[in-house]
Amino acid sequence: MKTTTLGIACALALAACGENSPPPAPEPPPPASTPAPTAPAPVEPAAPAAEAPAATADTVPGDAKPAAEVSDCSTTIEGNDAMQFNVGSITVPSSCSEFTITLRHTGQLPVNAMGHNVVISRASDRQAIAADGAMGGVEAGYLKADDNRVIAHSDLIGGGQTTSVSFSVSAIQGDGPYEFFCSFPGHWATMRGTLQVG
Ligand SMILES: [Cu+2]
């Protein structure tokens, strides 16, 4: 019956029974009250540095993916959170004078983590366009301003968004081959396909 006795003793002399219950946790120290000189905002997650992709310019891009379905001089393609377009080639009917590519980002990641766009250029210009674009950052849509190697491009979008780009078909009837690709750093390794007039 020691417990009971102790209990009563405690009831009579609360202060003496401190050992039975842990002392109240000390208040957390107040946050350092130095007038916070705004710490440099953490730069947005380092864009995956243009890691050397295994694919080279000589590899046929998107060769394992289906061709885009085209109708009314337009097509809709998809980009996802796994850094993939759903098609590997787009053939523009020669009867079209203008062509529109709509891009749906079917993923959920935000634009600064998994942004996608559609850039149209000569295949031989792709790497330089992407390298220069990477320096512009996400705000610039990962494209250099007024890059005249870019034939056309859409906005850079995040998961759940849709964008589109239109261009004159005559612009891809010159000295190709031409491609569509995503200029987000590192993405073109998997996100590109052929673009031709057929
Ligand atoms: Cu992308």
Side-chain angles (χ1 to χ4, degrees), residues 83 114-117 182 184 187 191:
M83 216 189 291
M114 187 55 68
H116 299 318
N117 61 7
C182 173
F184 192 103
H187 286 200
M191 299 189 76

Side-chain angles (χ1 to χ4, degrees), residues 4 71 91:
T4 305
S71 66
T91 299

Side-chain angles (χ1 to χ4, degrees), residues 45-173:
E51 52 208 34
T56 70
D58 298 318
T59 312
V60 177
D63 54 358
K65 295 192 185 133
E69 288 183 27
V70 170
S71 66
D72 293 334
C73 297
S74 68
T75 188
T76 296
I77 68 175
E78 295 176 353
N80 63 19
D81 281 346
M83 216 189 291
Q84 298 284 341
F85 283 134
N86 67 328
V87 300
S89 67
I90 299 173
T91 299
V92 175
S94 57
S95 56
C96 299
S97 58
E98 186 168 272
F99 193 78
T100 299
I101 300 173
T102 295
L103 169 66
R104 288 180 53 224
H105 190 321
T106 59
Q108 299 183 333
L109 294 172
V111 67
N112 62 355
M114 187 55 68
H116 299 318
N117 61 7
V118 175
V119 179
I120 307 300
S121 76
R122 283 195 174 86
S124 56
D125 287 334
R126 179 218 322 127
Q127 280 186 269
I129 291 170
D132 288 348
M135 293 189 278
V138 68
E139 290 81 9
Y142 287 119
L143 285 174
K144 186 173 84 171
D146 302 321
D147 187 333
N148 61 18
R149 295 163 301 192
V150 172
I151 294 169
H153 71 89
S154 73
D155 289 341
L156 186 74
I157 58 171
Q161 297 182 300
T162 298
T163 185
S164 66
V165 55
S166 297
F167 53 93
S168 168
V169 174
S170 63
I172 58 166
Q173 287 178 305

